[in-house]
Amino acid sequence: MSRAEQYAAAIVAVGNAEGDTDSLEADVHAFSNAVSGSPELQNTLNDPAIPASARQQVVEDLLAGKASKASAAALSMIVGAGRAGDLPEIARALSSRLAGERGAAYADVRSAVPLTADQEQRLAAALSKQAGRDVSVRVTIDPTVVGGLVTQIDDTVIDGSVRRRLNQMRETLV
């Protein structure tokens, strides 16, 4: 079990004890995305020269009134342990574990732009049909995806990005 999976297992245990894994999952993803989208926040939370208690205080201040106490405590613990850089992987492992508990697969979808609720539902339906079981979709905004989507379900990557298509065209022309 990887370190991210161990943290995810601990977070699921907290969520199950609190009876609210859905909001815990949403909070972890939202915070992970916020950290990924802010180089300044990344640097602050990953800086070993800043005492763990100060980094944890940053997390608690940012999440005050915006996340559950369980979410704030879990994220504070991760940052205090010096694992802020692992947040995206922990968030993916958390969603994968929770999807597995629900008898579904988890799809990590990266897109350059946000998807509408209808687009997410249609994507989940198409992926469920392809996978032969329910698929829980989590969309992450990733500006490195030039256009289209990059989807990972378990060990399978479906790269429908414009970048990949351009590379394929370039290879056939050379």
Side-chain angles (χ1 to χ4, degrees):
M1 184 181 292
S2 73
R3 182 173 293 139
E5 291 169 332
Q6 291 172 345
Y7 278 103
I11 294 169
V12 168
V14 169
N16 286 336
E18 295 287 322
D20 191 10
T21 56
D22 291 342
S23 65
L24 189 57
E25 178 184 19
D27 291 343
V28 169
H29 275 278
F31 189 74
S32 174
N33 289 339
V35 172
S36 295
S38 171
E40 182 180 350
L41 184 56
Q42 282 179 8
N43 291 338
T44 299
L45 297 181
N46 286 310
D47 188 347
I50 298 174
S53 60
R55 288 182 277 134
Q56 289 175 304
Q57 189 61 52
V58 169
V59 172
E60 291 165 17
D61 291 346
L62 288 172
L63 295 178
K66 297 175 186 165
S68 71
K69 288 182 182 180
S71 298
L75 290 163
S76 177
M77 183 254 324
I78 291 167
V79 169
R83 297 290 168 210
D86 295 337
L87 279 168
E89 188 179 349
I90 292 168
R92 283 190 294 276
L94 173 62
S95 289
S96 181
R97 179 175 284 273
L98 289 171
E101 285 186 2
R102 297 177 190 122
Y106 166 69
D108 181 35
V109 178
R110 293 183 296 124
S111 172
V113 297
L115 300 181
T116 65
D118 180 58
Q119 289 172 323
E120 281 191 42
Q121 289 172 348
R122 289 184 309 165
L123 178 60
L127 292 172
S128 295
K129 184 176 180 181
Q130 182 179 353
R133 59 184 170 153
D134 285 340
V135 175
S136 173
V137 174
R138 177 67 66 177
V139 178
T140 303
I141 306 306
D142 182 352
T144 66
V145 176
V146 177
L149 303 171
V150 177
T151 304
Q152 181 171 351
I153 302 174
D154 298 322
D155 293 334
T156 304
V157 176
I158 304 165
D159 189 347
S161 66
V162 172
R163 177 179 299 183
R164 179 174 172 262
R165 291 179 187 153
L166 289 172
N167 286 340
Q168 286 176 325
M169 287 175 54
R170 190 176 304 127
E171 288 173 8
T172 59
L173 295 174
V174 175

